[in-house]
């Protein structure tokens, strides 16, 4: 029976306070994924002018901190004589692993973002043929094959893109119907956000695709004319190939 429960309560409060203090101090260490690492990243970004450099410095700093914590845990474990005391080095090892994994993830993300920043939508554009909405599907496919176009975009008489031909839907049309079916019958309407400047690149391009998810996007030049079609699958392949 515990005769002084207030003593046990005090012990628990002191333990929690000590743990929170340790976490708070550790969080100030300048290395990702800690808050101190984010501050370091912002500082290096301000000095260097590039977020990528800030992420690299803060990420590697996080790895150095992780190695330091691991070394401290090993040194502490060598001085431990009882199994109860082994809790401290074990905790240090867990923290070191957490820091290493977080820093490594930050470095991987920074690497992917840096590579994405060099991607320009126009460089991935599929060769495209713009055709009138009322053109027969058979004739549109014939013209596309003639110029080796991989995509078809329907346009108004003024040349404004209004739809993208669904390749699977076009292939599913029986041959005897293709000469009589207008190409607009197998085209997906272009909703807002599915037409992008061919100069779109980097984070701007990724954000546009994230905001308006689709399988294909029509790229236009400065005059608003069709310049090609960007396939989301092509972009994913490029990003994965550059990892």
């Amino acid at each position: 029976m515990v005769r002084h429960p207030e003593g046990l309560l005090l012990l628990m409060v002191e333990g929690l306070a000590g743990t929170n203090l340790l976490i708070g101090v550790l969080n100030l260490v300048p290395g990702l994924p800690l808050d101190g690492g984010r501050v370091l990243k912002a500082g290096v970004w301000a000095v260097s002018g590039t977020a990528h450099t800030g992420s690299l410095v803060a990420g590697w700093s996080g790895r150095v901190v992780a190695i330091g914590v691991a070394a401290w845990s090993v040194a502490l474990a060598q001085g431990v004589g009882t199994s109860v005391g082994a809790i401290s080095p074990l905790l240090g090892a867990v923290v070191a692993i957490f820091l290493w994994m977080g820093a490594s993830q930050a470095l991987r993300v920074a690497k992917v973002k840096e590579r994405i920043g060099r991607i320009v939508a126009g460089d991935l554009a599929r060769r495209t043929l713009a055709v009138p909405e009322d053109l027969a599907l058979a004739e549109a496919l014939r013209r596309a094959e003639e110029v080796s176009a991989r995509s078809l975009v329907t346009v108004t008489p003024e040349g404004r893109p209004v739809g993208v031909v669904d390749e699977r839907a076009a292939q599913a049309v029986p041959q005897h119907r293709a000469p009589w079916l207008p190409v607009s019958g197998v085209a997906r309407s272009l909703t807002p956000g599915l037409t992008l400047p061919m100069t779109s690149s980097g984070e701007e391009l990724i954000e546009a695709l994230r905001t308006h998810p689709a399988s294909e996007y029509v790229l236009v030049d400065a005059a608003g004319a069709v310049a090609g079609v960007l396939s989301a699958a092509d972009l994913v392949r490029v990003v994965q190939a550059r990892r």
Side-chain angles (χ1 to χ4, degrees):
M1 178 180 295
V2 178
R3 296 184 178 182
H4 302 287
E6 63 277 4
L8 179 59
L9 179 61
L10 180 61
L11 181 63
M12 293 176 60
V13 171
E14 289 178 348
L16 288 174
T19 302
N20 286 333
L21 179 61
L22 176 62
I23 293 175
V25 172
L26 182 62
N27 206 30
L28 296 177
V29 174
L32 290 175
L34 304 172
D35 288 344
R38 295 186 177 91
V39 174
L40 176 62
K41 174 183 175 180
V44 176
W45 185 354
V47 174
S48 66
T50 62
H52 179 63
T53 301
S55 297
L56 288 182
V57 172
W60 278 105
S61 178
R63 282 185 167 182
V64 171
V65 172
I67 293 173
V69 173
W72 171 80
S73 300
V74 171
L76 190 61
Q78 290 177 345
V80 171
T82 64
S83 59
V84 176
I87 295 176
S88 294
L90 178 60
L91 178 60
V94 171
V95 171
I97 293 173
F98 164 76
L99 290 175
W100 181 271
M101 293 178 63
S104 299
Q105 177 64 19
L107 289 172
R108 283 193 293 270
V109 170
K111 187 176 182 181
V112 171
K113 284 187 175 181
E114 193 271 337
R115 288 173 174 175
I116 288 176
R118 298 200 299 263
I119 296 176
V120 180
D123 295 341
L124 302 179
R126 292 183 175 184
R127 188 166 186 176
T128 304
L129 178 66
V131 297
E133 293 181 274
D134 58 354
L135 184 69
L137 175 60
E139 176 61 16
L141 294 175
R142 186 194 67 78
R143 294 183 186 181
E145 185 177 0
E146 198 172 65
V147 297
S148 300
R150 297 180 60 192
S151 299
L152 285 170
V153 174
T154 57
V155 296
T156 64
E158 296 77 24
R160 181 176 61 87
V162 291
V164 180
V165 173
D166 188 307
E167 185 177 355
R168 292 183 180 179
Q171 293 176 347
V173 175
Q175 288 188 347
H176 68 274
R177 286 194 57 202
W180 312 105
L181 180 69
V183 69
S184 59
V186 290
R188 295 191 303 271
S189 298
L190 289 177
T191 56
L194 299 189
T195 302
L196 304 173
M198 66 181 302
T199 55
S200 299
S201 62
E203 289 295 327
E204 174 194 4
L205 176 60
I206 299 302
E207 182 59 29
L209 270 61
R210 184 184 298 116
T211 305
H212 303 281
S215 58
E216 292 178 314
Y217 301 81
V218 174
L219 303 179
V220 296
D221 58 21
V226 176
V229 167
L230 171 65
S231 169
D234 290 345
L235 179 60
V236 170
R237 277 194 293 269
V238 170
V239 172
Q240 291 179 340
R242 293 185 179 184
R243 286 185 178 179

